[in-house]
Amino acid sequence: MSEQPPRPVVLVADDDEDILTLVGVRLERAGYDVVTARDGEQALAAASARIPDAAIIDVMMPRMMGHELVRRLRERPETAAIPIVILTAAAHDAVAEASAQAGADVHLRKPFSPRELVARLDALLGRA
Amino acid sequence: MGTASGVVAALVAAVFAVLVTAVRDQRDSTEAARRSQQVINAATQARQDVIAVDLGRRGNLKAAPDVQAARRELESILADRLPPLVAGDAAQTRRVAALAADPDDPARQRLLLDDVISTEQATVERRRDDADAKAKQAIALGIGGLIGSAALIALLTTYLTRYIVVPVRRTARAAHRLAEGDLSARVPEEGDAEPVELARAFNTMAVNLQEGERVKDEFFALVSHELRTPLTSIIGYLELVLDDEDLPEETRRFLQVVERNATRLLRLVGDMLFVAQVEAGRLSLESTTVDLGNIAAESVEAARPAAASAGVTLALESASVRPVFGDRDRLGQMLDNLVSNALKFTPEGGRVDVRLTDAGDHADAEVTDTGMGIPESEQHHLFERFFRSSSATSRAVPGAGLGLTIVKAIAEAHGGTVDLTSREGSGTSVRVSLPYERVAAAT
């Protein structure tokens, strides 16, 4: 166990407590360290305190919407290139387009399978 | 508008009144002329009698029978015939009275009678001229009135057409469009007061309908959206819990039931959202070149467990068809819907056949079952959203009535068509035709 590589840090931002916990538990079981935030501003602060290796961001959040958060993260050199997954419950294709424009790598529609989310993240980070 | 028709009516009435007066005047003047003629005749006769009586007196033939007869006749004319005939004329009455008062002055009598005759002749002349003038006036007035009425009627007709008939017809056309589902149909609020009121009422109704439709779509999308977040939690946590290998067997079974139902709910929400998207015109396809054979095989494989547990034989007969250009996931969803529909309505021991055939310029995917069939009266409702056949409701077959709506929407988005044939009691067959060369109109 001492030979394990450092656990990647994932920033998870969602205003829904249950989803936050669900994603957090899933990621921790899959070997990630999780930093959670309940809105965009909290997420930005958390990303400054501990630079994440990836981020999972909900579109609809109070104070700062997901897309804006993605743009802000992309502006910072330390998070400009990290993989970002956007989550949304919206059905419109326009939202997916906005995600891509803001700089997200993956756009996942709710309901998503946590297993699938982990698989996508693993792929983005080049983990087996 | 009301005033205009009132004017026409008044004008026509005036023309009639003038004509009726003219006719009555003509009749009165004829009557007067006849009476004057009688006066003239009687006076002429009396004059001859006066001469005869005078001659008899001078020749001492007073007693001769014809002189006696003339005298009697003269008396009768002066006493009985003339007075009533000249009753309305004071001057003539005075002359007739003077005649009767002076029986023994023939010269004066002759003069008086000449007066009576010439006065009466003058009266006749005057009356005739009067009547002629009035008739001419009446004819002129009548013709003028008729021309005026005709012109007014023409004006009125033009007005009616332009401000009533045309606007009403326009509203009727818009109502037809609205009935055919074009909720943007509006009518210009032009014309007379009533058509404008009609147009305004129509526009208000159309706006309300459109607004209602929009609110419904929004509600639909919102509800689906609000259902997805909790469902994500339910299914996600179930997945976490079911990962635990030490779970007691019974708990696992119960949780699997929860998971199955949550998934079903999720599918329903997805279908509702899909239909809302289609109705809002926001369905977009991610088109690539796809192999229908693969998609059909996947749908059939996915449905195998359901078919097995229902005791229904499920078979795929797939001819090689050319690839089509379309959205792989949507086409799969379409075939899944068709197969699961067929399975739902087929009793144990029946069969469901999926057949893929090449039909020249298009591929046909046909799903045939030996199920209960659909009554003919319900067949044309089948593609309406939320419609559920009586056989589905009476046998408590689960579903929201969105399956075929989705099938049709996907087929049409690919430029294809859906045909359904069904015989009650012997089965249903749904055929989707997808063109190889998709027309530009489909997106």
Side-chain angles (χ1 to χ4, degrees), chain A residues 8-124:
Chain A
V9 177
V10 182
L11 170 68
V12 184
D14 195 320
D15 61 328
D16 188 313
E17 190 75 35
D18 297 337
I19 303 271
L20 208 55
T21 312
L22 173 66
V23 173
V25 169
R26 248 302 161 209
L27 288 174
E28 274 170 3
R29 284 194 191 174
Y32 291 93
D33 264 3
V34 177
V35 175
T36 57
R38 276 163 197 79
D39 62 57
E41 285 173 15
Q42 255 187 37
L44 273 182
S48 307
R50 194 174 172 192
I51 295 163
D53 298 300
I56 295 169
I57 296 164
D58 183 40
V59 169
M60 295 284 281
M61 280 189 302
R63 301 240 273 278
M64 190 190 296
M65 297 289 271
H67 290 145
E68 178 60 20
L69 175 59
V70 174
R71 259 188 296 276
R72 297 283 196 89
L73 288 174
R74 287 298 184 224
E75 280 166 9
R76 299 177 171 190
E78 65 272 23
T79 50
I82 62 165
I84 297 180
V85 176
I86 278 275
L87 300 179
T88 177
H92 303 183
D93 295 310
V95 179
E97 274 166 40
S99 301
Q101 264 175 17
D105 299 280
V106 173
H107 179 95
L108 265 189
R109 278 185 189 158
K110 286 181 186 175
F112 55 89
S113 151
R115 209 175 282 142
E116 189 195 342
L117 176 63
V118 170
R120 299 292 283 268
L121 203 61
D122 284 347
L124 285 170

Side-chain angles (χ1 to χ4, degrees), chain B residues 251-269:
Chain B
T251 311
R252 176 176 298 279
R253 243 191 17 252
F254 291 171
L255 287 176
Q256 278 167 344
V257 172
V258 176
E259 189 181 36
R260 197 170 66 233
N261 282 282
T263 309
R264 196 165 115 195
L265 198 55
L266 184 61
R267 195 177 314 123
L268 174 62
V269 171

